[in-house]
Amino acid sequence: MSAADKHFVFLNTIYSQQVAGQRERYQQALQLFRSLYGEGEVHIFRAPGRVNLIGEHTDYNHGFVMPVALDRDTVVLARARADSQLHLSNVEAEFEICQFEITENIPLAPNNHWSNYARGVAQHLKHRLSRPIKGADLLVVAEAPWGVPRGAGLSSSSSLTIAIMLALTELNGWTGSTAEQVQLASDAEWYVGTRGGIMDHYISLEGQKNHALFLDCRPVAGSYQSQPIPLSEGYDLLIINSGVKHQNVGGGYNWRVAACRAGVGLLKAQFPEITHLRDVQSVPWEVLEPHLPEKQLVSELTAQGTDLDDIPTLVPEAVLEVRAKCRHVHSENERVQGAIEAMYQGNVTRLGQLLSAAHLSARDDYDISCAELELLQSFLQKQEAVLGSRLTGAGWGGCMVALSKRESSQELARAVQAYYHEATGIVAETFVCQASQGAGLLTTLTV
Ligand code: GLA
């Protein structure tokens, strides 16, 4: 082993495949870091994206999810600065270099600028520190094919947020529990504009090789319960990117958060203790349904006392489909619990059925599918090699995940690509999920 290779032994642990390519990726990034910021010490952090096997839009309702950390990730090279400036560069030229002062009130950069995730992390870390903050020189490395595909429902923005958070917290000596780190990262994404849950940050931090992670998104005494669940031997999770880009920073996502909150507001009359839909998970749906209107105006809901003021893009004349949205959350939590049981029993047939049922609920009740995803779903459902499939992530595009027989995965990938290209003209990226470990500091070296 050469001296250079010794620096990169961690690659063998993290990446199951194409380690030589990864080594080149890291080496090039180090060279670029040196040319941008000069010689000296560099810390390398990494945070994976995720595919969610089942449990969609349940996290912000304090429900159940079952994501898997991917070997597609965001890497951040970092060095502390003597001042409190954050200097941000990216190996991809389309992301412009920028810098800003870390204060308690950092202005958002316009037009969903990529630096907003770093701004959010920096501002919220600053709030948590009782001493002056150290700035940093950062280089972000998330290019294809190694990075998390963007706008694909695989949590590229959360992996960026987590990698930057780990860099800034490490350089500033801030150590938080997983729940505290997750909270800091969620605050950073709220700063950007998404009223999302904690799933993406949690799995990025806590993912385990060859495992899915069952996560209960209800905090108990300041922490979360999670449990790694081995992925089924002999089966793959094939990920198919529809190429239709989705954006969480927009109406669709936040309106659904609002519909769930409206459901909580309305159920309070019967269940005064309820704070999240999770609180009525053990109540049969038939009992809940009569209390939830099919549709209701935001102005009426707020007049009745539901607090929706902090939800961006929500207007008083918006109509929320309260019943269907709450029904999805209720049934999805049941499916996640069924999935754990099926996985422990090695019952892949049952697991597949639950995935396909989750797709229908996401499509019909949560209304987060789109024509391209439906094309993919109808094709996948007809394949003998597929036990079940569903859209994954927030929806409105992004990826499908299919549970497929391992010996047929490659052939399935080719077939679905050919079909989709013929139907839409889009070349769908496909890859088999390699469940990887969670985020962290990989190494510190000198360039
Ligand atoms: C996005 C959010 C998550 C979660 C999913 C939907 O990825 O960031 O918190 O709500 O959508 O399950």
Side-chain angles (χ1 to χ4, degrees):
M1 189 188 287
S2 76
D5 282 344
K6 275 199 190 130
H7 288 310
F8 294 109
V9 275
F10 61 83
L11 296 176
N12 298 306
T13 330
I14 293 171
Y15 303 106
S16 324
Q17 300 177 328
Q18 298 179 289
V19 175
Q22 289 285 358
R23 185 178 303 115
E24 212 181 310
R25 173 194 189 206
Y26 279 79
Q27 275 164 341
Q28 283 176 359
L30 284 163
Q31 269 173 26
L32 180 59
F33 188 90
R34 185 172 129 143
S35 68
L36 286 165
Y37 301 120
E39 293 176 0
E41 202 177 56
V42 187
H43 307 281
I44 306 180
F45 301 87
R46 160 190 184 270
R50 60 102 188 96
V51 60
N52 191 15
L53 182 55
I54 192 163
E56 222 63 83
H57 290 272
T58 46
D59 60 350
Y60 48 84
N61 293 297
H62 283 187
F64 307 131
V65 295
M66 209 195 291
V68 183
L70 297 172
D71 66 352
R72 306 281 182 112
D73 52 24
T74 301
V75 171
V76 165
L77 276 54
R79 176 185 296 157
R81 291 179 59 86
D83 58 20
S84 50
Q85 293 264 318
L86 194 75
H87 288 208
L88 198 59
S89 317
N90 196 306
V91 292
E92 292 171 88
E94 66 182 278
F95 297 103
E96 62 176 354
I97 293 181
C98 66
Q99 62 187 68
F100 55 88
E101 179 72 21
I102 306 177
T103 64
E104 296 209 345
N105 202 358
I106 304 171
L108 259 179
N111 307 326
N112 298 331
H113 195 269
W114 78 285
S115 67
N116 282 337
Y117 294 97
R119 289 168 195 267
V121 170
Q123 171 174 302
H124 282 285
L125 176 61
K126 173 84 180 149
H127 291 172
R128 284 162 171 80
L129 286 178
S130 51
R131 55 179 184 282
I133 196 163
K134 271 189 215 156
D137 292 329
L138 303 183
L139 173 64
V140 172
V141 189
E143 78 292 30
W146 317 111
V148 188
R150 284 188 280 274
L154 300 177
S155 246
S156 57
S157 53
S158 298
S159 85
L160 173 66
T161 305
I162 292 287
I164 292 177
M165 180 198 75
L166 289 178
L168 286 185
T169 53
E170 171 80 23
L171 297 179
N172 278 285
W174 182 86
T175 43
S177 64
T178 303
E180 286 164 337
Q181 289 182 315
V182 161
Q183 191 55 51
L184 171 50
S186 308
D187 289 348
E189 293 215 39
W190 277 51
Y191 164 97
V192 180
T194 306
R195 296 292 180 254
I198 59 136
M199 163 171 72
D200 303 348
H201 310 117
Y202 196 97
I203 183 66
S204 188
L205 284 164
E206 294 293 325
Q208 288 197 20
K209 218 167 183 169
N210 304 325
H211 288 74
L213 195 73
F214 165 69
L215 169 63
D216 182 341
C217 298
R218 158 135 290 172
V220 177
S223 71
Y224 297 96
Q225 301 293 313
S226 64
Q227 194 181 331
I229 303 191
L231 288 167
S232 318
E233 280 295 320
Y235 296 86
D236 280 331
L237 298 177
L238 181 69
I239 298 169
I240 305 130
N241 186 352
S242 70
V244 178
K245 294 224 171 189
H246 87 118
Q247 268 276 7
N248 279 355
V249 185
Y253 187 95
N254 290 335
W255 284 32
R256 281 155 183 75
V257 175
C260 295
R261 228 194 259 179
V264 171
L266 293 161
L267 289 168
K268 265 188 193 295
Q270 273 65 43
F271 305 92
E273 302 299 317
I274 173 176
T275 62
H276 291 80
L277 287 178
R278 160 65 179 279
D279 295 310
V280 286
Q281 190 57 41
S282 56
V283 180
W285 174 251
E286 298 66 42
V287 176
L288 302 176
E289 192 176 67
H291 305 291
L292 299 167
E294 244 171 74
K295 295 183 179 180
Q296 193 151 10
L297 273 169
V298 166
S299 54
E300 288 168 5
L301 288 159
T302 47
Q304 289 164 17
T306 300
D307 180 13
L308 300 171
D309 287 351
D310 64 326
I311 302 201
T313 74
L314 198 65
V315 287
E317 56 278 15
V319 176
L320 300 181
E321 294 174 349
V322 180
R323 184 181 297 168
K325 302 303 172 266
C326 294
R327 183 167 50 216
H328 165 78
V329 174
H330 196 268
S331 65
E332 186 78 348
N333 278 326
E334 279 177 358
R335 283 185 288 272
V336 178
Q337 289 173 301
I340 306 172
E341 214 178 287
M343 286 168 86
Y344 274 129
Q345 290 167 350
N347 189 343
V348 276
T349 307
R350 178 76 191 127
L351 178 62
Q353 287 164 348
L354 288 163
L355 298 189
S356 299
H359 180 86
L360 289 182
S361 178
R363 182 190 74 185
D364 299 336
D365 275 348
Y366 228 61
D367 192 18
I368 53 171
S369 190
C370 65
E372 292 83 354
L373 292 179
E374 288 312 309
L375 270 176
L376 289 169
Q377 178 69 349
S378 60
F379 179 85
L380 291 167
Q381 291 284 304
K382 289 184 206 127
Q383 306 310 306
E384 204 262 311
V386 174
L387 289 100
S389 56
R390 59 179 288 269
L391 67 81
T392 181
W396 302 284
C399 290
M400 303 289 303
V401 58
L403 177 65
S404 73
K405 295 180 186 160
R406 184 157 294 161
E407 69 274 12
S408 313
S409 297
Q410 296 308 328
E411 202 186 320
L412 174 67
R414 281 192 292 275
V416 71
Q417 266 184 337
Y419 166 80
Y420 190 63
H421 186 249
E422 173 76 28
T424 63
I426 302 171
V427 179
E429 183 192 7
T430 60
F431 60 96
V432 167
C433 162
Q434 307 292 339
S436 95
Q437 69 188 58
L441 169 64
L442 299 182
T443 191
T444 298
L445 39 79
T446 306
V447 288

